[in-house]
Amino acid sequence: MFIKALFKKWVWIMAVREMRHGLKPLLLSMLCVILAVMSVVVAYSFRDNVQSSIRLQSKSLLGADLALESRQPFTAEDEALFRSLAGDQSRQIGFSSMAYFPASGKSRLVQVRAVSGKFPYYGALETEPASAVEEFRQGADALIDENLVLQMDAGIGDRVKIGDHEFSIAGKLRKIPGEPVTFSLISPRVYVPMSFLEESPLLQRGSLVRYRIYFKFDAEQDVDALVQRISPQLQRQGLRADTVSRRMEAISTAMENLSRYLRLAVFIAVLLAGVGVASGVHVYTKQKTPSLAVLRCIGAGPAETVMVNLLQVLIVTLAGSLAGAALGVGLQRLLPLALKDFLPVIATPSVAFSGVWVGLGMGLATALLFSLIPLVPLRKISPLLALRASYETVGSLRDPLLWLIFLLIAGTVFGFAVVTTARWFHGLYFTAGILAVFGLLVGVAKGLSKLMRRFAPALLSFTWRQGLANLYRPSNQTAAVMLAIGLGTFLMVTLYSVQSMLLNEVQERTGEGEPNLVLFDVQSDQRQSVGELFQSFGVPIRDEVPIVTMRLSAIKNRSVQEIRNDPKVKISEWALRREYRSTYRSRLGQAERILDGTWRGRVDPGAQPIPVSLEKGIAETLRVGIGDSLQFDVQGVSLPTRVASIREVEWERLEPNFFVVFPEGVLESAPQFYAVVARAETGAASANLQRAIVERFPNVSVIDLNLVLNTLESILSKVSAAIRFVALFTLLTGIAVLASAVLSSRSQRVRESILLRTLGAPRRQIVTTIVAEYLFLAVIACVTGTVLGIFASWGLSFYFFQTAATISLAPILIILLAVTVGTVVAGVVGCWGIFRRSALEALRAEA
Amino acid sequence: MTDDIILSVEHLTKFFKSGDQNLTVLSDVSFAVWERSACAIVGPSGSGKTTLIAVCAGLERPSEGAVIFNGTPLHRSSEEELARVRNQSIGFIFQNFQLLPSLTALENVMVPAEIRGENHARSRAGELLERVGLETRLHHYPVQLSGGEQQRVALARAFINRPKILFADEPTGNLDAETAKDIVRLIFELNATSGTTLILVTHDPDLTRQAGRVLSLRGGRLVADNGSKRIHSSER
């Protein structure tokens, strides 16, 4: 029936003619389509551009054709392998150390990379000045992360001390191939010449060091096949290989996850645009109802009546989608710019036609589906309406076709979510979440409105009653506007609440009495001197924790090598190969509690097997439980142990926590170093102490929690800013829905104001009515969105971040106030000018 | 010369639901209308006149009874069939003209012919507008026309498909006396040339007089019918 109507010439002619008059509500709602399509094009183009950039810049992701890495110094066997592989080779040794800047007196834990050779072979170290790289390769200077130079109030040519050695700062590092800028926030990098390490005693027992060698081969070398061939040897020698294809795969996966998030986020904007379209089309068709009734009188069928209007919507939507796509192509540079700190490549924007097609398709499909909601009931328009308004009211929700459309919309959301997330249950959660948020926003807002309508009138003056009643005027767009405002508020409250919850979680760790300084790599012969230094600064030491490094040699009487060679055993490689840093003590730490087994704090020397306590996660990874045996190797001495207890550890607490804890009586005479935990009451005391430590004990690393907190704040800010940028698409669409509603109801408002003025109402009273209407609208929607946002934050904190949910009222109140004021201002501005003209003039202008 | 019955209304009853109540607008109305006749429906406000012609024109379904138009039982027809009958066999003129505001005068007249799929709608519409004296106003929009001019456009639109019957609901209700006279003249002129049966709801005594047969409604009932015998159009 509807398809037949589509092929009737007069239907198309009628649709075009009808568009000459009263198109404003439709055009305004198309603002939403333009923004939504723009968002989709930007998000999909981002994915295509980043993937294309990754492909083009693939080699610069690694900077070489092949990288081999070990946690131990390369052996003779390793060197023989490297010689056999040939190619141009570069070396890098990376480790953490304190960097001290004498000019400012500041110090910071940094990631030192001692390099030799021409690495990177692809891409380049971007520095300021650009010539700094060459100076670095030829001289004995250092290259330092730009952020670190800023933090330490340093400049080019200043000195930096690492260990016993002082370097001149040759330049600031801006970009390292394959590494996003955010790395520099977490672990700033300092590049130094390899020769420095040979002279420095920095690499001591306990230092966590990564040894890397980079290879550049001839163009025809099949690196993946090569790695495949030498894989058994690499495994035997404990070497990890990284190739361009592996790096590409890892980065592509990460970028695909980011892209998925973006696509899901802009889809919310698309759905909101659909609501805006439905609302605008509803107003438009209400205006057209008399004409439609006349058409029915003169012989148009029900399906033809619907098609005349549907075609108008589709024509306008096509135009809006094309405009949105053009905008999206123009603005696609913005997204990579907003996310540049998180991207490992420089995303080069280019027109991604797939993004344009997807945007156009989504715009048209969304407008079509949502516009059917107000259009489908048009088939029931009685021609009798040409004579008079109907006596009988028809409940639109009883229309089965409407329910079919709702189901189609839900199905489309689900389908999109499944395709995007590539997992049906993720798609289900997303769909359920979206429908719940949308449904709750509209349902709760409507419920509150009904309550206010019922109970408020008696309490309100005429103008406020009139304002409230305006929410229910015929052809109102109250539901759509409430959804738009509520969704925007919900998003902002959720984002800010989660951000502040995460920050509070960290800040609590630095509350009164909590330790704020941790020293690592304190050697046995330095303990006393370190203690005296702390004492001289008046900073009490809270704890001195011994650390013994060891490797796992057997699990349940099977050697680690045997386990690694057994394809049936699913124990992660990192857990088998890692160097364990264990401690020994008689008591449980404050961040621990026993989940299973019995804590053994002390054993007699020589007792075997040694009862040890394992952290819950590592026990699961190693697939061991109470009573199972583990064999550790401490510098050639074998230690047979038995799992006596399983612990739960609060890893987020700032104190040394361990996978494996031995009882006292076993490791006291083993080679060991110490972690020292302390609290400095003032920032000045902490800075002075750190300076003194770096000067006297250059091998000791200091973690300052204040710095960690600042870094976390900085990272969270960047992440939040990026998330807010993406949420901006939804917010802009919400603003478009609001603007559309305000402007399309303007003519009705003009008529009302003229009538009121004719009846003697002063201007002030009419303005108060408008303010009251938008105030009610905003408050109801904002309160609903805020409450839902708080619940969502709580849910995210409890289930996802597993942290305590704390709500900061101040930012929430600011958001509430800002959105409310913004809505009221939008409503008043939208009615601007209705008083300036005479009643007749205004009526004629609005006709 | 005798004519056939074009419209037969039998025991027509119509009520509307208003909240929980049933509002009876027409009660057991029966009459027949012959081809090429003219008939006026009169009665006080709220007597059911507009509802009667709405049901007869297939705009509304009866709650009880039968309406047979040109052999087609309208009370049992589908929406699609009713739309076809309205397009091809019925013309309608409204009190408030009901022109489509976004179409010109010419386009308004063309619409019923376009719905029918006619290829020469434009030329025929132009001819009709010329007949009603609007040859210089073809491309004006309704908002640019006076009330009388709008009603003439509506008249032309009602006749473009050469309907068998024309229903007019107070066609002169919103017009001044002078203009009303013109419209009445046009209605009967077109009726005479095309042989269309006329059924008019009116308070206009001139229109009532010219129609000849008068059906009086009061409280939803047919209380008087002075045309129970056939009156041929040539005898008016």
Side-chain angles (χ1 to χ4, degrees), chain A residues 143-159:
Chain A
L143 294 174
I144 299 192
D145 246 327
E146 188 175 30
N147 280 331
L148 183 63
V149 173
L150 286 169
Q151 279 174 19
M152 298 293 118
D153 296 325
I156 312 289
D158 284 355
R159 310 294 289 177

Side-chain angles (χ1 to χ4, degrees), chain B residues 31-67:
Chain B
F31 62 92
V33 177
W34 286 264
E35 278 183 318
R36 287 189 282 273
S37 66
C39 168
I41 301 174
V42 301
S45 220
S47 56
K49 306 185 296 294
T50 301
T51 306
L52 179 59
I53 61 162
V55 174
C56 292
L59 302 181
E60 185 66 71
R61 289 184 192 278
S63 305
E64 291 169 10
V67 177

Side-chain angles (χ1 to χ4, degrees), chain A residues 332-559:
Chain A
Q332 63 179 334
R333 287 164 197 282
L334 290 182
L335 195 53
L337 212 59
L339 300 174
K340 68 174 170 42
D341 288 346
F342 302 96
L343 298 178
V345 295
I346 299 168
T348 320
S350 60
V351 178
F353 285 103
S354 60
V356 172
W357 291 126
V358 171
L360 286 174
M362 281 179 77
L364 281 167
T366 306
L368 171 67
L369 273 176
F370 278 86
S371 63
L372 282 177
I373 298 172
L375 285 179
V376 151
L378 292 183
R379 74 193 194 288
K380 295 193 174 182
I381 280 186
S382 168
L384 190 61
L385 285 175
L387 288 172
R388 60 152 143 254
S390 176
Y391 285 128
E392 292 169 308
T393 54
V394 177
S396 61
L397 283 180
R398 282 183 234 145
D399 190 343
L401 203 51
L402 262 184
W403 284 102
L404 180 64
I405 294 166
F406 290 140
L407 271 172
L408 262 176
I409 291 172
T412 306
V413 172
F414 177 63
F416 173 83
V418 169
V419 166
T420 304
T421 60
R423 281 175 174 70
W424 71 266
F425 49 91
H426 284 174
L428 191 63
Y429 295 150
F430 178 79
T431 306
I434 287 289
L435 292 179
V437 169
F438 273 55
L440 279 170
L441 277 170
V442 173
V444 172
K446 282 198 163 182
L448 273 177
S449 307
K450 275 197 179 128
L451 278 174
M452 287 189 69
R453 200 179 175 190
R454 191 155 170 196
F455 295 110
L459 309 168
L460 301 172
S461 65
F462 162 71
T463 46
W464 290 86
R465 274 204 317 274
Q466 185 66 22
L468 184 59
N470 282 346
L471 295 180
Y472 305 98
R473 65 157 68 86
S475 307
N476 72 79
Q477 298 187 63
T478 302
V481 173
M482 279 192 180
L483 183 61
I485 297 172
L487 190 63
T489 312
F490 166 76
L491 280 175
M492 284 192 284
V493 166
T494 307
L495 285 173
Y496 276 104
S497 294
V498 169
Q499 182 181 352
S500 85
M501 271 183 214
L502 290 174
L503 279 173
N504 284 342
E505 171 77 13
V506 176
Q507 279 166 347
E508 270 169 21
R509 307 289 171 212
T510 61
E512 283 297 310
E514 295 288 327
N516 56 15
L517 277 176
V518 178
L519 276 62
F520 283 101
D521 296 340
V522 176
Q523 304 301 311
S524 301
D525 56 0
Q526 293 172 323
R527 264 181 82 189
Q528 190 176 349
S529 306
V530 165
E532 287 164 1
L533 183 66
F534 271 75
Q535 205 171 18
S536 70
F537 277 86
V539 177
I541 289 178
R542 294 286 185 92
D543 204 358
E544 284 179 314
V545 181
I547 298 175
V548 179
T549 58
M550 57 189 68
R551 290 196 181 269
L552 197 56
S553 53
I555 302 175
K556 295 187 216 175
N557 302 318
R558 285 186 82 187
S559 72

Side-chain angles (χ1 to χ4, degrees), chain A residues 5-18:
Chain A
L6 191 58
F7 289 98
K8 292 194 177 174
K9 185 175 155 189
W10 82 265
V11 170
W12 286 86
I13 294 172
M14 199 65 208
V16 171
R17 284 178 189 157
E18 278 287 297

Side-chain angles (χ1 to χ4, degrees), chain A residues 57-112:
Chain A
Q57 301 169 41
S58 58
K59 292 208 171 182
S60 70
L61 293 175
L62 185 60
D65 292 318
L66 172 67
L68 296 177
E69 180 181 299
S70 172
R71 297 291 184 98
Q72 301 175 77
F74 293 131
T75 62
E77 202 183 348
D78 295 339
E79 295 294 345
L81 171 65
F82 302 155
R83 281 192 297 275
S84 73
L85 293 177
D88 197 348
Q89 298 179 9
S90 298
R91 306 270 175 142
Q92 180 180 296
I93 298 177
F95 57 96
S96 296
S97 182
M98 293 302 287
Y100 173 62
F101 296 80
S104 60
K106 293 184 178 178
S107 58
R108 167 88 202 251
L109 188 67
V110 299
Q111 176 72 218
V112 179

Side-chain angles (χ1 to χ4, degrees), chain A residues 570-646:
Chain A
K570 306 279 181 227
I571 297 177
S572 300
E573 190 70 15
W574 68 268
L576 296 171
R577 288 176 43 198
R578 66 174 285 118
E579 184 180 72
Y580 283 83
R581 296 177 156 217
S582 307
T583 190
Y584 57 90
R585 46 178 143 84
S586 60
R587 291 189 312 271
L588 269 179
Q590 286 184 332
E592 301 170 323
R593 70 183 181 99
I594 296 291
L595 293 177
D596 196 7
T598 311
W599 170 260
R600 294 286 301 275
R602 181 155 189 89
V603 293
D604 296 327
Q608 288 191 0
I610 303 158
V612 294
S613 180
L614 251 55
E615 186 268 338
K616 180 181 77 162
I618 198 66
E620 284 167 4
T621 305
L622 293 173
R623 295 175 190 268
V624 295
I626 301 295
D628 287 336
S629 65
L630 295 168
Q631 186 149 309
F632 289 95
D633 185 315
V634 181
Q635 310 249 341
V637 175
S638 185
L639 292 178
T641 71
R642 177 182 61 81
V643 179
S645 62
I646 306 282

Side-chain angles (χ1 to χ4, degrees), chain A residues 775-798:
Chain A
L775 193 61
F776 281 126
L777 199 64
V779 167
I780 293 171
C782 284
V783 165
T784 310
T786 301
V787 168
L788 286 177
I790 291 172
F791 271 114
S793 312
W794 173 84
L796 276 171
S797 297
F798 189 76

